[in-house]
Amino acid sequence: MKYSRLIPLAAISSLAFLACEEGSSIGSSIVSDQVEIVIDSAFTVTGHSVPVESVVSRSEYQLLGSIDAKGYGYLATDFASGFMPSNKLTTGHGMGPENVDSIRLAMVMRKGDMVGDSVIPLGLEVFRLTKPLPSSGLTSGSSVDTYYDPSAPIASTVYNATVVGLPDSIAADYTYSSSTTDEARVVYVKLPKQLGQEFYRKYLSTDGPALFNDPDAFQQWFPGLYVKNSYGSGRIMRFENSAVYLYLSYKGTTDAGNDTTYRFIDSFLAITPEVVLNNHISQTLSPEIKTLASQEPIAVGPIGYDTEIQLPIKKIVESYRRQAGNNNVINNLTFHVPASAIANDYEIDPPANILLVKKDKRTEFFKENKLTDNATSFYATYNSTTKMYSFTNMRQFVIDAIEKDDEGTLTDADGEYVLTPINLVTETVSDGYYSTTEIVIAITPYIDTPAMVKFDLSNIHLYLTFSKQTMH
């Protein structure tokens, strides 16, 4: 379908079609010319589901748990990671390794960042890594079997994702909230006291402070931890922050001369973007989702399916050339994709964000930690009201296609794209005293709680908009 409307040229000062010298006879009559805004939507997009067996496991999140969901399938996740050390621990007062009371791993999940039953008890085990994880090449399917001793867990616990039923004094230790964060659930794992003493003894040694101040050297000395499921199913949690706390104390006296015990808590290890984190994911998709994928374009995360689509790139260029004339400006190309949830019994929703990336650049995009360029890669956020992903700035895609057509090198392959779930890493920056802006600083593969969506390509809205001048 094509829409158009006429606008006086003088009303569109931003459309500089002609550069006229002062005194030109053209300039004297330009206000009588008109600009026509043309919107062409007579395009068809085709596509199909393609299996995704693994993704680059680079992520800021740690996933743990397992589910077996009707309409989705079985998914189990665990993680191995190095830790960034603090370069300063509490010392003095004659304290030594004997003053270590305990050591705990704390894994923080923001409220709602899970799929499944929050109450059901699950079991986990913690293992010490025997060597550092590789700095590259890890995927969601990479095994950590050669990086730990499965016969030697250092800790275990039973956990859930709720504090319902706990006394307030205890529940407060398992949640946190402030004016800037939502309430969160904290899963604590008590690690061996001997491990805490080992850390403290090392820090107090001659080379200790230098070691804790050198993350690479520290990884060689302490490669990290592996946290895995030990039993149970029914929930997957997404932790956004995992840290290790050391608890110290010593006996002393107050200023009044009374005996007392002084206690300290040091958060001295944390999973940060600088360390290697590997989320290991095992999945068996349900027969229902496999059947649907053979019939409809879908996306399933964290692994499962992407959708490959064919954008009608030649027809877009043909439409432009047929209608635009010699004096024109390409305004935009917008692509709106209707999308809906897929029935399941775990309330698994569509992914919040989708990447549209040229098929032959998908691997490169994630491997090289790229951001979208609005030429060969774009992202869109799911609108649960309109049930649609909208890519609203694809102008450069059209410009590049026209240039390739001018050169005689445009092919259908230039319109081969992939729709794949992603996570956005954002940062809030100040615009001044009273306003802030959230910017995207990284785009990662969808290492997150389960998500799936069905695309309705038969009802897409692909709008090419350009302005052309009619000379009189």
Side-chain angles (χ1 to χ4, degrees):
M1 184 178 297
K2 185 184 80 173
Y3 306 91
S4 65
R5 58 193 176 105
L6 299 179
I7 301 177
L9 184 60
I12 311 179
S13 59
S14 62
L15 300 179
F17 296 105
L18 297 175
C20 304
E21 295 181 0
E22 187 177 356
S24 167
S25 60
I26 298 177
S28 61
S29 61
I30 197 168
V31 292
S32 65
D33 298 329
Q34 291 178 316
V35 170
E36 182 180 3
I37 305 297
V38 180
I39 305 174
D40 195 346
S41 62
F43 304 112
T44 300
V45 175
T46 58
H48 61 278
S49 304
V50 292
V52 177
E53 296 182 355
S54 66
V55 295
V56 177
S57 58
R58 175 176 54 87
S59 173
E60 62 175 340
Y61 302 124
Q62 304 96 58
L63 302 181
L64 185 66
S66 68
I67 62 168
D68 194 353
K70 182 179 180 181
Y72 178 85
Y74 173 77
L75 183 72
T77 63
D78 48 46
F79 66 91
S81 181
F83 284 81
M84 178 67 68
S86 169
N87 61 7
K88 187 173 181 58
L89 296 180
T90 300
T91 58
H93 311 288
M95 290 195 299
E98 67 278 3
N99 294 92
V100 172
D101 293 328
S102 61
I103 180 173
R104 290 200 298 182
L105 169 67
M107 299 178 291
V108 179
M109 180 200 80
R110 195 174 298 280
K111 185 178 180 180
D113 285 353
M114 55 159 283
V115 165
D117 189 332
S118 64
V119 179
I120 189 171
L122 300 181
L124 67 80
E125 291 180 321
V126 179
F127 297 83
R128 187 169 177 169
L129 295 181
T130 56
K131 59 182 177 181
L133 296 168
S135 59
S136 62
L138 289 173
T139 70
S140 57
S142 298
S143 172
V144 297
D145 288 350
T146 61
Y147 293 86
Y148 79 106
D149 181 354
S151 66
I154 63 172
S156 64
T157 195
V158 176
Y159 69 103
N160 57 29
T162 183
V163 293
V164 174
L166 293 178
D168 290 344
S169 60
I170 298 177
D173 193 37
Y174 289 88
T175 62
Y176 76 80
S177 61
S178 71
S179 60
T180 58
T181 61
D182 298 326
E183 183 181 354
R185 173 71 167 91
V186 185
V187 174
Y188 287 110
V189 185
K190 186 175 182 180
L191 302 176
K193 181 178 178 178
Q194 294 85 346
L195 180 62
Q197 291 174 329
E198 180 184 349
F199 280 120
Y200 201 60
R201 184 180 297 109
K202 188 64 176 178
Y203 184 78
L204 294 175
S205 68
T206 302
D207 64 341
L211 179 71
F212 277 68
N213 200 41
D214 185 340
D216 292 334
F218 186 85
Q219 303 300 318
Q220 296 299 318
W221 179 74
F222 179 72
L225 297 174
Y226 173 41
V227 183
K228 71 183 292 290
N229 303 300
S230 59
Y231 70 83
S233 181
R235 178 178 64 253
I236 289 180
M237 300 173 69
R238 186 186 82 177
F239 301 110
E240 67 172 37
N241 179 24
S242 293
V244 178
Y245 292 82
L246 190 65
Y247 298 80
L248 301 157
S249 69
Y250 74 92
K251 295 186 182 301
T253 58
T254 65
D255 292 340
N258 299 319
D259 292 337
T260 189
T261 298
Y262 293 93
R263 304 184 187 279
F264 306 91
I265 303 175
D266 285 346
S267 173
F268 75 106
L269 298 178
I271 295 178
T272 68
E274 292 80 12
V275 301
V276 178
L277 165 66
N278 182 49
N279 284 282
H280 178 254
I281 301 172
S282 302
Q283 185 182 61
T284 303
L285 292 172
S286 70
E288 297 96 331
I289 204 70
K290 289 181 178 179
T291 298
L292 181 63
S294 68
Q295 300 169 347
E296 303 281 353
I298 66 172
V300 177
I303 55 176
Y305 288 99
D306 286 346
T307 283
E308 291 183 357
I309 64 171
Q310 178 67 57
L311 295 174
I313 192 164
K314 288 186 175 180
K315 290 188 177 180
I316 291 172
V317 173
E318 178 188 339
S319 170
Y320 161 78
R321 293 200 184 283
R322 185 178 67 252
Q323 303 177 73
N326 294 326
N327 301 305
N328 61 79
V329 169
I330 296 168
N331 295 2
N332 205 358
L333 180 73
T334 59
F335 182 34
H336 307 277
V337 186
S340 58
I342 299 172
N344 65 91
D345 62 353
Y346 268 69
E347 298 182 353
I348 298 173
D349 294 323
N353 299 287
I354 285 285
L355 177 71
L356 175 65
V357 62
K358 199 166 184 292
K359 179 181 175 181
D360 60 6
K361 293 183 179 293
R362 182 190 187 281
T363 300
E364 171 190 318
F365 183 91
F366 292 118
K367 186 177 181 179
E368 298 183 5
N369 304 329
K370 291 188 173 184
L371 295 174
T372 51
D373 59 13
N374 290 331
T376 61
S377 56
F378 319 82
Y379 78 84
T381 299
Y382 186 64
N383 186 318
S384 58
T385 302
T386 63
K387 299 187 184 305
M388 194 171 292
Y389 294 99
S390 295
F391 303 91
T392 57
N393 184 16
M394 298 180 66
R395 180 174 182 268
Q396 193 61 44
F397 169 84
V398 180
I399 293 173
D400 291 348
I402 293 170
E403 289 180 355
K404 292 195 74 171
D405 188 56
D406 289 338
E407 298 166 356
T409 60
L410 185 67
T411 68
D412 288 336
D414 293 305
E416 293 178 356
Y417 275 71
V418 177
L419 291 166
T420 184
I422 54 169
N423 280 332
L424 301 179
V425 181
T426 61
E427 184 177 272
T428 300
V429 297
S430 175
D431 292 338
Y433 290 107
Y434 304 106
S435 63
T436 60
T437 299
E438 190 173 63
I439 62 172
V440 175
I441 60 173
I443 296 176
T444 66
Y446 186 82
I447 302 295
D448 211 322
T449 54
M452 54 184 179
V453 67
K454 180 174 69 172
F455 302 113
D456 182 6
L457 298 184
S458 62
N459 287 302
I460 62 95
H461 308 289
L462 185 61
Y463 296 116
L464 170 65
T465 306
F466 55 90
S467 305
K468 65 178 182 178
Q469 181 183 16
T470 303
M471 305 294 293
H472 296 289

